[in-house]
């Protein structure tokens, strides 16, 4: 079966979801093991994919065996970037799953099977988006991701979660439809949907590549994915949506959904339109970098004003998205910006997952949803506090955390292409993060332990849970923190793989003159 | 030039203290084992460093590259032990042992809380310090620099009261803020400019076409970015960090942290710009004057201080500028002097801090004005204090004399009479703020002691020294700073290796 | 494909769309929306997209209308705009 | 004017209409206050995209994309005789006689996705109505402001 | 304010789109890029479909073949989207009442149910005769027609989706005429949720079978040995049919589930 790994990665959670839906409602204790098995399977497969890509090279898989003529069937493609992203998705999803183990007696327990079904289908969407090589297929999978996200957000027990979900639905559908319009224009111009095929056609006939239709296609595809990734000024929906949904699903969505959209942007840019669009229209890429800077600034400022942990983290996501979009559009000769943002996709997935898991643990174990609830955390549970600290340091970008190295390459790209404003924004937001997180560290480190070691009044939606589930929540957090550190220390193999792909896809000679 | 040897010794030297961390956590209940582990780790670290010493003295380099070689344009993590790194590593690892002994005495004497955390982060910061010393390229240097800033934060804020909070906050704002805001862009700019960050061989920027403005901007970015060097106006974290327990102030804020700052600045001058480029651009004088102003101002402020530790802090700021000024003079002897001064000042200043701590442990006094006549009750402590003060001031027969001699000589060599005067003035000022303390301690009568004298009881009964574990280390370091005057050869050789190997030509 | 029919249907389509968005009574708006679905189904058929027309007839003019009406019955019928 | 209509509008009439409907739908989806109205707008918006795609696949004088058995068998025999391979002139199936099937396929998917989204959205509407007693966005937002502290 | 913003955004969008419409190929041009491809890429997929579908799959209806075979991967996820919708609506809306909450909930329902709400009990009116009789005639026809559409998707328009929707509509008709209770009696809740999952499972399972014949996913040609069909073409044809069955199953159940939940605000009692 080893030659089918790319598709099994996607199928495992799909089958898992179906089986859970079939048996789960009869016996709820089956749900968690099935889901765990499914995700573990796709985790193993994604390791296999990464290994194959690292040793052999890019891997094409033609669904239905429609390999020739090219572009008739649907093609899956795994290369240096998305194989790593597959792995990251699998890891984050596993951690979130283990965290979100539900027990009977919890309220709306009869819905828990369907929570798992939606969870797994969301993973299907993410995996599928990441590995597909077909422009329209991306749309279908985006819709799966979106629908499941609406469901998961609306499962939050706060009244506001429903409104957030509805706004998310409207915005998300508009975004996906914009993407669909873009693909339509592209299809109208070149008559193909296969990414590689489109690339070849655009490369072969420049008059098409420079036509207004293709330009409009690019604009709308970008608008679509920017809406999905909540880039400023389209970021309004994200903080509500992610901070009111149950933390079990926030741990999955917040780290991954935006990152995958960023990945889609990068994929569309360098394997459909080609990075030429960045370097050949400096005016436009200048504008995009400005938007990214705006996103960074807006995210940081919003985060400064928040007193709720989850909200603050959500605002930081907006800023991080700004990093990646800006880095992609720097258009420096050495492709350092692109490398940086690709690495940052992974790094940010890991550290956001770590931070959100930590926020979830705060809420569940200590009923702490606001900064001031965290006082004395270091003494109450040093491990949780330590893990959160690691995540925060990574967010600030302190070596040897992964956050530092992505900034290292992003700034290199920015200096080479002379985007000083971007550098200022990047460093500024790093300083803002430092302020934010050290504010929390101070509260957690100096603050008095509240005399009642019992959890606070459990906030809406985050019912305090029996102690025996504490380990299920804490273990993923610790693993995520450790991964955040390891990804930073051992960044070299990752960077090498990414650079290999970048160099091969964009044809720059590797490095310094 | 030197042939470089591949060896894992530097890595072990760094990790030996990090490896102590889990053990310390393991033995957090049994205090004795915990402290034994700390000391053993110190000994191990020192032995690793000493094992490397002969190799370096033969004019070799030890290199260790992790995560790929620099061939593909990415920056690997490189450890490289050269003379300069060796000087610093030697000082830090020698002084760690007495400091840990001292801190045992101090912490026990004051029954401090959460000592385990203290020892853990102490070990981590030593790990980072040696990492900086052995860093083979700018990235590695920066990584360890940041680890040091973070791992010392819990030590600075050890007391966890409002004052500690304030101190810790300004500590972080200064160190983290400047390094993120200045060093990162400067470092990456250097990388873009020259395509490498490696310290080996000739200076990184030696053959790049920097304009005067670019060069100046970079130099300032580094000089202020490594704000552990406490150049004015970014010095204020150092006095406020004095809220830390004295062993912390002693090792970190007299030796490790601040010396890391000046060490990085020396690296900047020698290995990033290179003396020739700096001289060619003529931006060295800017650095000189900043250092000179800091030098005099800090000494003047120190005169006005009454809190002993604050006074020491300001004198530290002054002495650091000696080192920076010395290297910025770009003459061989000045550079030699400043490298020597790293060692000499370390020994002298750590003695002074030990004494301050010992006084506090024994009598609970922090103000200079309260010290009248204490010398008769704590003769060893104050003798050591006198020695340390003399060494820092630069009187023979203390080590400090040699380094300051070279510095002055270098200043004369460079025909910078004004800077020469700055040296001399501040030397006078050093004396002016140190010796009143000694005078008070030994010659002024102690108010409530008169009664005891009246009934003629021997003042031996008045002997109230600090605990033995506090006194031994300070005696050791005091003697050390005397010995350094008579046997400076090791440091001298290392320094000359730096200058004749590291720099293009003497 | 018959161009005149095409044009006429499309014009009706626009009218239906405007009407569906203008009506303040949600029930009638939904009705008009179903009509809209039926019109567009005719357009598909006229363009030769029979399968799409079929689906649109069942989904657009059928199910979506039913679902919307169900919701309107369970919520409010009047709309402020 | 008429000339301009002939040259510009008529050849692209479907596309002009698609843009108009798209604008209508989008405007409603963003600008309307009533949630149901938003959804109607959203659906219209999506059908506009269907119109774009299907209009691409139209060919003058082409019939529906169903190859009847006889022609298909002819093609099979043609291939059996190893004649020329696909695309040769003698090949019995002339693609210009059939509408382009690919957009139809894509739009089937899009329609289904649309109805799925609609269903979920309507469910959300009912829950919101259950919680807030209204479907007017401004009122809902006002109510939310008042419960600022229940996270 | 919001309206103004909306208007501006919409006008900008429309302007961009119209601007590009200028250089669109002429409407109905048989040689436009989508219809006949562009040089530089591989063969135009649409031309290839039209010419080779019958050769490859023996299915006259090109759309069905492309939908379920060439681009079957899309359709698999499209079915998954429907399943998702069903599950999501359940997760959002379904309220499973415990006894203690009964009466309070009842009152609350009376409070805020719209003006049209008529529940099962008072449904036993004269209008029920007409509607009931009509249904008794129409429903079987509708279901028969649904199955016909599913089965006849190969040579004529139709297939899993259309047939599924029609079948689902027939159940909705029952719910409207005889009350949701009787409809649920024919298609219980746990049953239809299971069937929805089963449909996707059938689809993906058929695709997965080909993996065991060392062929790629969804390559129905691999099933020729299994189905004893001479040649892969008929195997593909059968594979497509099986897949359509799975799709129909999911669509039917989910459509009914949507209506059932929406028409009772997730309580599956009473109904419109």
């Amino acid at each position: 079966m080893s030659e089918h790994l790319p598709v099994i990665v996607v199928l495992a959670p799909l089958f898992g979801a179906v089986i859970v839906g079939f048996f789960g409602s009869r016996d709820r204790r089956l749900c968690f093991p099935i889901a765990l098995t499914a995700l573990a399977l796709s985790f193993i497969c994604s390791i296999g994919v990464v290994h194959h890509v690292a040793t052999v090279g890019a891997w094409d898989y033609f669904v239905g065996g429609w390999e020739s003529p090219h572009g008739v069937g649907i093609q899956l493609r795994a290369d240096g970037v998305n194989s790593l992203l597959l792995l990251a998705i699998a890891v984050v999803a596993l951690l979130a799953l283990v965290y979100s183990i539900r027990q009977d007696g919890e309220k709306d327990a009869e819905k828990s099977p369907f929570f798992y079904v939606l969870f797994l289908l969301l993973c299907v969407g993410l995996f599928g988006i990441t590995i597909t090589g077909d422009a329209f297929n991306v749309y279908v999978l985006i819709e799966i991701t979106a629908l499941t996200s609406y469901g998961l957000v609306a499962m939050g027990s706060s009244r506001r979660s429903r409104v957030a979900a509805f706004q998310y639905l409207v915005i998300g559908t508009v975004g996906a439809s914009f993407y669909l319009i873009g693909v339509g224009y592209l299809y109208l111009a070149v008559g193909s949907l296969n990414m590689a095929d489109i690339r070849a056609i655009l490369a072969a006939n420049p008059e098409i590549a420079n036509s207004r239709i293709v330009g409009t296609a690019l604009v709308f595809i970008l608008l679509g994915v920017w809406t999905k990734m909540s880039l400023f000024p389209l970021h309004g929906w994200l903080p509500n949506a992610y901070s009111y949904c149950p933390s079990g699903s926030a741990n999955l969505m917040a780290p991954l959904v935006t990152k995958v959209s960023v990945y889609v942007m990068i994929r569309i840019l360098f394997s459909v339109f080609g990075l030429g669009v960045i370097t050949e229209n400096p005016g436009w890429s200048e504008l995009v970098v400005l938007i990214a800077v705006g996103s960074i600034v807006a995210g940081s400022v919003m985060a400064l004003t928040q007193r709720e942990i989850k909200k603050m983290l959500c605002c930081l996501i907006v800023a991080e998205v700004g990093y990646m979009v800006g880095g992609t559009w720097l258009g420096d000769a050495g492709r350092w910006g692109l490398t940086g943002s690709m690495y940052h996709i992974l790094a940010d997935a890991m550290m956001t997952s770590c931070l959100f898991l930590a926020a979830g643990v705060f809420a569940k174990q200590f009923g702490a949803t606001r900064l001031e609830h965290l006082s004395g955390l270091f003494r109450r549970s040093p491990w949780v506090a330590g893990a959160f600290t690691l995540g925060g340091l990574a967010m600030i970008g302190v070596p040897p955390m992964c956050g530092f190295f992505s900034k290292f390459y992003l700034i290199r790209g920015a200096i080479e292409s002379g985007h000083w404003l971007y550098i200022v924004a990047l460093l500024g937001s790093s300083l803002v993060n430092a302020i934010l997180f050290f504010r929390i560290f101070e509260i957690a480190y100096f603050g008095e332990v509240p005399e009642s070691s019992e959890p606070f009044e459990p906030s809406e939606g985050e019912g305090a849970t029996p102690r025996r589930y504490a380990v299920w929540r804490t273990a993923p957090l610790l693993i995520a923190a450790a991964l955040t550190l390891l990804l930073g220390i051992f960044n070299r193999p990752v960077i090498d793989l990414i650079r290999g792909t970048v160099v091969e896809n964009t044809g720059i000679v590797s490095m310094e003159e | 030039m030197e042939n470089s040897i591949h060896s894992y010794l530097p890595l072990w030297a760094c990790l030996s203290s990090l490896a102590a961390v889990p053990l310390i956590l393991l033995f957090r209940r049994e205090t004795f084992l915990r402290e034994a582990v700390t000391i053993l780790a110190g000994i191990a670290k020192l032995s690793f460093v000493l094992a490397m010493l002969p190799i370096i003295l033969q004019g070799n380099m030890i290199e260790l590259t992790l995560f790929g070689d620099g061939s593909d344009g990415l920056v690997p993590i490189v450890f490289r032990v050269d003379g300069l790194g060796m000087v610093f590593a030697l000082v830090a690892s020698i002084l760690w042992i007495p400091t840990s002994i001292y801190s045992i005495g101090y912490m026990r004497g004051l029954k401090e809380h959460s000592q385990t955390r203290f020892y853990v982060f102490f070990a981590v910061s030593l790990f980072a310090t040696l990492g900086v010393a052995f860093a083979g390229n700018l990235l590695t240097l920066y990584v360890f620099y940041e680890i040091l800033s973070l791992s010392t934060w819990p030590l600075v804020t050890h007391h966890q009261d409002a004052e500690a909070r304030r101190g810790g906050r300004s500590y972080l704002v200064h160190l983290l803020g400047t390094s993120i805001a200045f060093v990162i862009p400067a470092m990456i700019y250097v990388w873009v400019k020259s395509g490498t960050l490696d310290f080996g061989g000739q200076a990184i920027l030696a053959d790049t076409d920097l304009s005067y403005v670019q060069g100046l901007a970079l130099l300032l970015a580094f000089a202020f970015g490594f704000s552990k060097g406490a150049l004015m106006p970014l010095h204020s974290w150092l006095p406020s960090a004095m809220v830390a327990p004295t062993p912390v102030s002693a090792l970190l804020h007299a030796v490790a942290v601040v010396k890391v700052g000046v060490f990085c600045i020396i690296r900047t001058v020698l290995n990033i710009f290179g003396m020739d480029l700096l001289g060619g651009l003529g931006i060295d004088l800017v650095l000189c004057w900043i250092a000179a102003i800091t030098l005099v101002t800090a000494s003047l402020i120190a005169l006005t201080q009454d809190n002993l530790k604050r006074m020491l802090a300001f004198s530290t700021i002054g002495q650091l500028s000696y080192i920076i000024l010395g290297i910025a003079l770009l003459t061989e002897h000045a550079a030699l002097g400043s490298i020597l001064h790293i060692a000499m000042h370390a020994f002298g200043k750590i003695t002074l801090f030990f004494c301050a701590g010992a006084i506090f442990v024994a009598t609970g006094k922090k103000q200079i004005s309260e010290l009248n006549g204490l010398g008769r009750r704590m003769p060893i402590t104050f003798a050591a204090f006198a020695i340390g003060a003399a060494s820092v001031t630069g009187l023979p027969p203390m080590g400090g004399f040699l380094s300051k001699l070279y510095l002055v000589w270098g200043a004369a060599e460079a025909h910078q009479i004004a800077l020469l005067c700055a040296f001399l003035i501040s030397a006078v000022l050093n004396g002016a703020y140190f010796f009143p303390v000694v005078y008070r301690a030994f010659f002024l009568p102690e108010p409530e002691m008169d009664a005891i004298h009246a009934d003629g009881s021997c003042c031996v009964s008045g002997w109230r020294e600090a605990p033995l574990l506090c006194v031994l280390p300070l005696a050791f370091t005091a003697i050390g700073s005397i010995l350094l005057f008579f046997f400076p050869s090791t440091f001298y050789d290392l320094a000359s290796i730096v200058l004749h190997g590291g720099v293009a030509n003497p | 494909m018959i161009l005149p029919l095409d044009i006429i249907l499309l014009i009706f389509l626009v009218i239906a769309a405007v009407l569906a968005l203008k009506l303040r009574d949600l029930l009638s708006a939904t009705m008009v929306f179903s009509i809209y679905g039926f019109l567009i189904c005719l357009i598909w058929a006229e363009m030769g997209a029979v399968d799409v027309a079929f689906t649109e007839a069942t989904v657009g003019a059928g199910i979506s209308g039913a679902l919307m009406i169900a919701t309107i019955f369970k919520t409010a019928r009047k709309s402020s705009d | 004017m008429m000339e301009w209509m002939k040259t510009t509008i008529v050849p692209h009439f479907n596309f002009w209409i698609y843009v108009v409907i798209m604008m209508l739908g989008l405007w409603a989806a963003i600008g309307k206050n009533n949630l149901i109205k938003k959804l109607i707008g959203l659906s219209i918006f999506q059908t506009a995209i269907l119109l774009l795609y299907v209009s691409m696949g139209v060919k003058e004088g082409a019939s529906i994309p169903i190859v009847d058995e006889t022609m298909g068998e002819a093609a099979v025999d043609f291939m059996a005789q190893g004649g020329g391979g696909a695309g040769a002139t003698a090949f019995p199936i002339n693609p210009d006689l059939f509408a382009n099937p690919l957009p139809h396929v894509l739009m089937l998917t899009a329609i289904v996705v649309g109805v799925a989204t609609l269903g979920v959205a309507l469910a959300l509407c009912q829950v919101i109505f259950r919680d807030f007693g209204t479907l007017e966005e401004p009122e809902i937002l006002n109510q939310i402001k008042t419960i600022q502290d229940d996270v | 304010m919001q309206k103004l913003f909306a208007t501006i955004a919409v006008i900008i969008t429309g302007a961009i789109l119209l601007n590009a419409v200028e250089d669109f190929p002429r409407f109905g041009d048989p040689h436009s890029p989508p219809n006949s491809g562009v040089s530089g890429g591989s063969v135009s997929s649409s031309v290839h479909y039209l010419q080779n579908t019958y050769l490859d799959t023996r299915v006259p209806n090109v759309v069905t073949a492309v939908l379920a075979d060439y681009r079957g991967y899309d359709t698999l996820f499209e079915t998954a989207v429907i399943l998702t919708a069903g599950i999501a609506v359940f997760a959002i809306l379904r309220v499973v009442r415990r006894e203690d909450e009964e009466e309070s909930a009842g009152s609350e329902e009376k409070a805020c149910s719209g003006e049209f709400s008529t529940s099962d009990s008072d449904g036993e009116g004269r209008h029920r005769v007409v509607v009931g009789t009509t249904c008794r005639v129409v429903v079987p026809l509708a279901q028969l027609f649904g199955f016909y559409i599913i089965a006849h998707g190969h040579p004529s328009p139709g297939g899993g989706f259309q047939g599924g929707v029609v079948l689902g509509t027939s159940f909705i008709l029952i719910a409207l005429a005889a009350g949701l209770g009787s409809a649920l009696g024919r298609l219980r809740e746990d049953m239809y949720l299971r069937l929805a999952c089963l449909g996707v499972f059938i689809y993906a399972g058929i695709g997965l079978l080909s993996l065991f014949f060392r062929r790629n996913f969804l390559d129905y040609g691999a099933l020729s040995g299994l189905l004893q069909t001479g040649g892969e073409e008929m195997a593909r044809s059968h594979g497509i049919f099986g897949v359509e069955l799975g799709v129909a199953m999911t669509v039917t159940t989910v459509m009914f589930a949507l209506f059932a939940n929406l028409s009772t605000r997730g309580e599956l009692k009473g109904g419109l």
Side-chain angles (χ1 to χ4, degrees), chain A residues 1 3-4 7-8 10-11 14-15 18-19 21-22 25-26 61-66 69-74 76 108 110-111 114 117-118 121 124 134 136-137 140-141 143-144 147-148 150-151 154-155 178 181 185 187-191 193 197 200-201 204-205 208 212-213 216 219-220, chain E residues 13 16-17 19-25 33-34 37-46 48-49 56-57 69-71 73-74 76-78 80-81 83-85 87-88 90-96 98 190 193-195 197-198 200-201 204-205 208 211-212 214-219 236:
Chain A
M1 296 296 259
E3 68 271 20
H4 299 297
V7 76
I8 295 175
V10 186
L11 288 181
L14 182 62
F15 276 101
V18 175
I19 295 170
F22 197 83
S25 51
R26 180 158 296 161
Y61 184 92
F62 293 89
V63 180
W66 298 112
H70 192 241
V72 169
I74 288 180
L76 309 185
D108 72 13
E110 55 282 322
K111 284 189 181 178
F114 303 99
V117 176
L118 291 178
L121 284 171
V124 172
D134 186 278
F136 184 81
N137 192 240
V140 183
L141 290 152
E143 282 296 353
I144 289 193
L147 277 173
T148 44
Y150 310 147
M155 279 176 91
F178 274 1
I181 294 180
Y185 276 45
Y187 178 66
L188 186 65
V190 304
L193 289 172
D197 198 17
I201 294 174
N205 354 6
I208 293 182
R212 274 190 288 181
I213 306 181
T216 319
V219 169
F220 272 81
Chain E
T13 326
I16 301 174
L17 289 174
N19 169 34
V21 163
E22 299 275 328
D23 356 355
F24 272 20
V38 190
S39 66
S42 70
V43 55
S44 156
S45 45
S46 77
H48 180 272
Y49 293 145
D56 290 339
T57 66
D69 192 353
Y70 293 97
R71 297 190 68 89
Y73 189 67
D74 269 348
L76 170 61
F77 290 119
E78 172 184 2
V81 166
L83 175 66
T84 311
I87 302 287
F90 181 94
I92 295 168
L93 198 54
R94 186 84 173 88
V95 280
V96 182
R98 303 187 181 78
D190 56 348
L193 288 169
R194 286 222 177 73
L195 283 179
C197 296
L198 187 60
V200 180
F201 183 83
L208 201 63
L211 260 60
F212 298 108
R214 319 200 56 73
R215 301 279 288 268
N216 281 3
F217 181 65
L218 282 174
D219 188 346
R236 290 218 179 79

Side-chain angles (χ1 to χ4, degrees), chain B residues 397-415:
Chain B
M398 315 296 165
F401 171 72
L402 293 177
S403 49
K404 292 208 174 182
L405 184 64
Y406 278 111
L407 287 170
V408 175
W409 181 0
E413 233 175 13
H415 309 299

Side-chain angles (χ1 to χ4, degrees), chain A residues 179-311:
Chain A
Y179 177 84
L180 189 55
I181 294 180
V183 173
Y185 276 45
L186 208 50
Y187 178 66
L188 186 65
V190 304
S192 173
L193 289 172
N194 179 300
M195 290 184 182
D197 198 17
I198 299 175
R199 180 86 204 92
I201 294 174
L202 289 183
N205 354 6
E207 79 282 359
I208 293 182
N210 302 327
S211 68
R212 274 190 288 181
I213 306 181
V214 173
T216 319
L218 177 62
V219 169
F220 272 81
I221 290 180
L222 287 179
L223 281 179
V225 287
W226 286 346
T227 320
K228 281 290 182 183
M229 75 178 78
S230 83
L231 184 70
F232 174 86
L234 306 168
H235 63 283
W237 56 270
L238 184 135
N240 289 331
Y242 286 172
S243 48
Y244 295 135
C245 68
S247 58
S249 34
N251 296 333
L252 180 62
M253 282 187 282
L256 292 182
V257 174
T258 52
K259 307 300 166 301
V260 168
S261 323
V262 175
Y263 162 76
V264 171
M265 180 185 74
I266 292 178
R267 164 65 73 197
I268 290 286
L269 276 178
F270 83 54
S271 61
V272 173
F273 290 90
L275 284 181
V277 298
I278 296 177
T279 46
E280 284 156 18
N281 332 335
W284 288 108
S285 44
E286 201 64 40
L287 176 66
V288 178
V289 173
L290 276 184
I291 296 175
V293 169
S295 184
I296 297 175
V297 174
S300 308
V301 172
M302 288 194 307
L304 272 176
T305 65
Q306 294 296 338
R307 300 297 294 176
E308 291 167 14
I309 303 165
K310 264 183 166 182
K311 270 250 174 104

